[in-house]
Structure formats: C-alpha cells, structure tokens
C-alpha cells in the first residue's frame, strides 16, 4: 500500500518528455490513507467481475474526488452541458471489426466502481523518473486551438517483459508558457499490474503538477456505475483475425470541464478547477502508441500488434476516425499543415498510410521492438 500512495504516471510523463522535450515533476504526497478512509465509509456494495477483479461501489456523491477542498461547493454534473456539432462515431463497416467493450461492473445506480488495490490486480508501483526517459512513441501528432479530440484504436495485448508497458492512447495537453497540463486515456499492458491483459486507464497532470492515474488521487469524477476504470478490456484484437475497436473522446464542455466518452457515452469528467491552461484549451493532441520500461534500452518492447505497419489491415495497430473539436465547437478534420505521423524510433516502430477520409484521419503504427538500442 505504501507504493500505491506514491503513484508516478509514467505513461503521461513519458509522453510529455518525448513530445515536448521537457521535464515533469512527479513528486506526490501520500493521499492513499485518506482515499481508503473515504471509500470505507461510503462503500454501498462490493462486487467482482468475471475476471476476478474486485470493485467497491461507492456512493456517487461521496466518491473521493468530491471530498477535495477545491470541490467543496461543486455540484455534481451528470452529463455535459452540450455537445459539439458533428458529435458521433461511425461504426466500422468491416465484417472483421467489432467494437470493444470497456470493463463492465455491476454496481448499483447511484454508485461508482473503484478498483480495490491488491498485489495482483490494479497494483501500480513507484516507477523512478529515469524510466520516463527514453520511451518511444509512434502515431499522429496535431497542434492548434483544440477543445476536444476523438479516436478509434484497435486494441492488442502485446507480449511484455516484467516492468515494461505498452499503451495505446489518446493524449491531449497544453504545452506552452510554463508548467504542463495533460490528460491521457486508453489501454495499457504491463506485468506490473499482475498480468499481461489490456487494461483501461486514465492519467492526468493538473495545475498541482502531480501526475495521477485512475482513482489513486483526486481529480476524476465518474458519473456511471458500470464502467470499471483500471479493469481488463475484453475482447481484444487478434493478429490476422478479428479486430476490436475502442472509441474514445475527450471533450471540453461550455463549463470548461473535460469529459471522457466511450463511443458517445459519457463516463465522467475532470472539473475545471484542476487545470489552469487546460481550462482554456489544449494545443497538442497525440493518437497512437507509447512503450517504456526497464528493457527499453536493451530489448525494446512490442508496440500495438507487435508487427510493423507494412503488414497493413488486420495485422497492424491503427488509429482511425481521428478528429478534433475546434473553437467554433464543431468536430472537424485535422489541419494537415499542423499534423504529422511520426515515430521516435523508426527501426523499431513504424508509421504508415497517414491520410484522411470522410470519417477522419488514420494511420498504422507499431512494431515488434527488439531492435538494437543504438539504432535510431
């Protein structure tokens, strides 16, 4: 439990370090004891998933974030105050593609599920800052005045070494004029969580300069009783077989809260009081893969499907249906003058077929890793 009180969200730190070339302060004070006391006092039911994960169903009005001093007078918002024009996802027309199911939890209405911390499930260690240096990214990066972003990712479970992780995420940030603020959402695979399964995680860096994951510190307000943050995503994509999509969106509503959507369904939000620059807008968004861990410099881990992008549809990981929300509060295509596909280590991880159609931009990304550490 001591480790859990000092979480370092390495995924987000690595993204910020690589994408912006800056250092992020990840020091955090202990909050875990307060969290556990709040949860213990307000848990209404304890439930298990079919995968054996255990969740506390906590009174929605008493979830830990709402006990933060900043939110003393905060009125719980159950849905965004409005939606942008063009707010929808188009289901894939491919017979070989199906939509992923986010972790479902049978908590009763009026509660939200919070994953119990154990040594096997949901355990997040204290990763040193040195692990944030040298991670690798492949995918799409776009810049501008951004008030939301959406993406469809096909989810894989690449084989991992102990302590490594491979993630497929949507990350938005504000990276100008002082300390950074950012939000990342998506899938992560790491034996550090006790297995090799893809798990749904949320990560953020607010104006308190602390990087946080899931419910390990106050910040995210969940509004639905059936989505389990930190739990296993199933099914996942199969190489040269069925592809499984995860449709995600981050959206700033007119009240300046940042909402997380699965497909077009709201899961919850980060109240605007947690941000300064992101309270106004984001100016960078990335879509794709990130790998990191102790073997990154000796035997880099797999990203995406674990196969190069030249293998194409059904075999490579992709980000598709990529669009942003602009200043007129419309879902629009990327500005290709300010957008590009890239890899920080092309011999290990490639990008291919960066283009767009009526549904948005798309790209293949990823690779098997395992290349010589000195190759760039």
């Amino acid at each position: 439990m001591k480790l859990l009180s000092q979480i370092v969200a390495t995924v987000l730190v690595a993204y910020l370090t690589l994408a912006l070339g800056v250092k992020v302060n990840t020091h955090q004070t202990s909050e875990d004891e307060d969290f556990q006391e709040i949860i213990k006092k307000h848990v209404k039911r304890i439930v298990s998933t079919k995968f054996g994960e255990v969740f506390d169903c906590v009174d929605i009005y008493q979830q830990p974030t709402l006990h933060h001093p900043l939110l003393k007078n905060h009125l719980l918002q159950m849905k965004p105050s409005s939606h942008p024009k063009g707010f929808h996802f188009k289901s894939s027309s491919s017979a070989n593609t199906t939509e992923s199911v986010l972790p479902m939890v049978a908590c009763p209405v009026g509660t939200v599920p919070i994953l119990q911390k154990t040594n096997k499930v949901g355990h997040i260690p204290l990763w040193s800052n040195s692990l944030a240096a040298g991670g690798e990214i492949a995918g799409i990066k776009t810049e501008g005045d951004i008030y939301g972003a959406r993406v469809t990712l096909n989810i894989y479970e690449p084989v991992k070494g102990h302590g490594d992780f491979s993630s497929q995420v949507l990350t938005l940030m504000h990276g100008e004029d002082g300390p950074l603020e950012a939000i990342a959402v998506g899938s992560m695979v790491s034996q550090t969580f006790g297995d090799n399964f893809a798990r749904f995680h949320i990560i953020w860096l607010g104006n308190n300069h602390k990087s946080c994951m899931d419910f390990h510190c106050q910040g995210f307000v969940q509004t639905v009783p059936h989505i389990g943050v930190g739990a296993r995503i199933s099914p996942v994509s199969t190489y040269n077989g069925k592809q499984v999509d995860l449709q995600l969106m981050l959206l700033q509503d007119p009240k300046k809260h940042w909402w997380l959507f699965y497909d077009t369904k709201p899961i919850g939000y980060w109240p605007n009081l947690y941000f300064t620059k992101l309270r106004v807008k984001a100016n960078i968004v990335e879509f794709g893969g990130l790998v990191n861990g102790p073997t990154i410099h000796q035997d880099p881990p797999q990203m995406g499907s674990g196969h190069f992008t030249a293998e194409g549809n059904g075999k490579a990981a992709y980000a598709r249906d990529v669009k942003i929300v602009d200043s007129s509060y419309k879902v629009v295509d990327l500005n290709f003058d300010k957008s590009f596909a890239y890899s920080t280590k092309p011999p290990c991880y490639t990008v291919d077929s960066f283009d767009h159609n009526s549904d948005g931009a798309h790209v293949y990304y990823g690779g098997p890793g395992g290349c010589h550490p000195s190759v760039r």
Side-chain angles (χ1 to χ4, degrees), residues 88-92 97-100 140 149-155 168-170 237 243-249 261-264 287-288 316-323 359-365:
H88 68 277
F89 275 100
K90 183 177 180 180
S91 299
S92 174
T97 302
T98 187
E99 186 175 341
S100 179
I140 298 172
R150 77 174 202 196
V151 66
T152 298
L153 302 164
N154 60 338
I155 302 301
Q168 299 173 263
V169 289
L170 158 61
S237 299
Q243 299 300 293
V244 181
D245 282 340
L246 182 61
Q247 300 177 338
L248 297 171
M249 185 171 191
F261 291 83
Y262 160 54
D263 191 5
T264 55
F287 314 84
Y318 58 72
R320 65 176 179 87
D321 303 339
V322 173
K323 293 194 175 186
D359 295 326
H362 51 81
V363 73
Y364 290 110
Y365 66 91

Side-chain angles (χ1 to χ4, degrees), residues 126-140:
L126 175 61
W127 280 319
S128 69
N129 291 351
S130 63
L131 293 184
E136 308 294 349
I137 297 172
I140 298 172

Side-chain angles (χ1 to χ4, degrees), residues 82 84 87 147-148 249-253 257-259 261 325 329:
S82 67
F87 174 76
Y147 299 85
M249 185 171 191
L250 289 168
L251 171 68
Q252 186 185 61
D253 75 359
H257 304 319
W258 280 100
W259 279 86
F261 291 83
V325 178
Y329 213 53

